[in-house]
Amino acid sequence: MFSWFRTALLFIVVLVLTRFIPFSEFFRNVNTLVHELSHGLTALLLQGRVMEIHLYADQSGVTWTRFQEGWMIIPIGLAGYVGASLFAMLLFMLYRKDNSKTGLTIIALMAGLAAILFVRNGYGMAWSVGFAAVTAAVAFLAPRWLQQSYYLLIAFLCLVESVVSAFVILYLALQNPGSAGDATNLAEATGVPALLWGLVFVAIALWCARVSLSRLLGRRRGQEQKLMA
């Protein structure tokens, strides 16, 4: 059984390693993109509108939406951190099924469509187009070893950033509940303290991280068994 201790240990190792990868700041914005798109897509599902999305070099972002009913802010507000965590888990599930190319294609399409439809600030548009182009090139032109390595880089960065950003919101909700981003918006809409929303984000992020890493190690054990058979 994949224990929480092993999850924490492996996560810490990955966290440290991803901070030393060259240009990791550029690639870490993929988590921001997924976060903001999750807000936007949820608004669209509720028959609202996405006005525009901004992405910034410090891995922050913002999404402006319009929606008809006040209660809709709850699913829209929840979607960012929850969507980012679930997306990281999806990437590891695809990797376990040897569908890295499919995952990279999804990522490239997300970035490209975001640049065309929603992202409107200069840095955000340049990053989205550049990231989509690099990812598409790796998916369709790179040798398999490079494709797999690049895919794992993106998957691990999504995983790490989804957990770290959830803890950052929890810290902000504890120190300054009025400026804790989505947790603050949800608190204002529901009356539930921002701290509790921060705890919800952290709990979901940790659960998704545990499932993701168990899928990764499960695939490796499966490969080892094939080699021995």
Side-chain angles (χ1 to χ4, degrees):
M1 186 175 184
F2 196 72
S3 68
W4 282 105
F5 175 76
R6 291 176 64 191
T7 301
L9 183 60
L10 183 54
F11 179 83
I12 291 171
V13 172
V14 171
L15 174 63
V16 173
L17 290 178
T18 52
R19 289 304 185 270
F20 288 97
I21 296 174
F23 309 112
S24 66
E25 293 85 358
F26 173 82
F27 292 106
R28 286 205 296 270
N29 253 331
V30 66
N31 178 73
T32 308
L33 173 68
V34 175
H35 178 111
E36 301 304 334
L37 279 179
S38 296
H39 285 312
L41 292 176
T42 303
L44 292 176
L45 288 173
L46 295 172
Q47 299 184 331
R49 293 181 59 191
V50 180
M51 307 309 296
E52 57 186 65
I53 292 175
H54 288 188
L55 305 174
Y56 301 104
D58 62 355
Q59 289 85 57
S60 64
V62 61
T63 300
W64 284 276
T65 60
R66 285 184 180 175
F67 44 88
Q68 297 178 350
E69 304 291 338
W71 63 265
M72 293 180 179
I73 194 173
I74 300 174
I76 293 172
L78 282 169
Y81 289 98
V82 174
S85 297
L86 291 175
F87 186 76
M89 187 169 67
L90 171 65
L91 292 182
F92 281 93
M93 288 181 171
L94 289 174
Y95 181 75
R96 182 173 184 177
K97 296 181 179 179
D98 201 26
N99 285 329
S100 299
K101 187 173 182 178
T102 300
L104 290 176
T105 303
I106 293 172
I107 295 169
L109 285 173
M110 287 173 56
L113 290 175
I116 295 171
L117 299 175
F118 304 126
V119 180
R120 291 297 176 262
N121 66 316
Y123 174 84
M125 293 182 69
W127 180 87
S128 298
V129 171
F131 181 73
V134 170
T135 303
V138 173
F140 295 100
L141 301 176
R144 182 172 173 79
W145 68 267
L146 180 56
Q147 183 186 102
Q148 294 276 29
S149 299
Y150 182 84
Y151 184 88
L152 283 176
L153 168 65
I154 300 302
F156 275 120
L157 286 174
C158 285
L159 177 68
V160 168
E161 293 305 310
S162 66
V163 174
V164 170
S165 60
F167 271 102
V168 169
I169 282 296
L170 177 61
Y171 173 79
L172 291 175
L174 181 63
Q175 295 295 317
N176 188 3
S179 59
D182 292 340
T184 298
N185 294 335
L186 288 166
E188 292 175 350
T190 63
V192 177
L195 180 60
L196 290 182
W197 289 113
L199 288 171
V200 169
F201 293 147
V202 167
I204 293 172
L206 289 176
W207 180 80
C208 289
R210 184 173 185 266
V211 173
S212 299
L213 295 177
S214 68
R215 295 293 183 273
L216 176 66
L217 294 186
R219 168 171 168 162
R220 288 183 174 178
R221 282 194 291 269
Q223 291 173 336
E224 291 171 358
Q225 290 172 358
K226 288 181 181 179
L227 290 173
M228 292 173 64

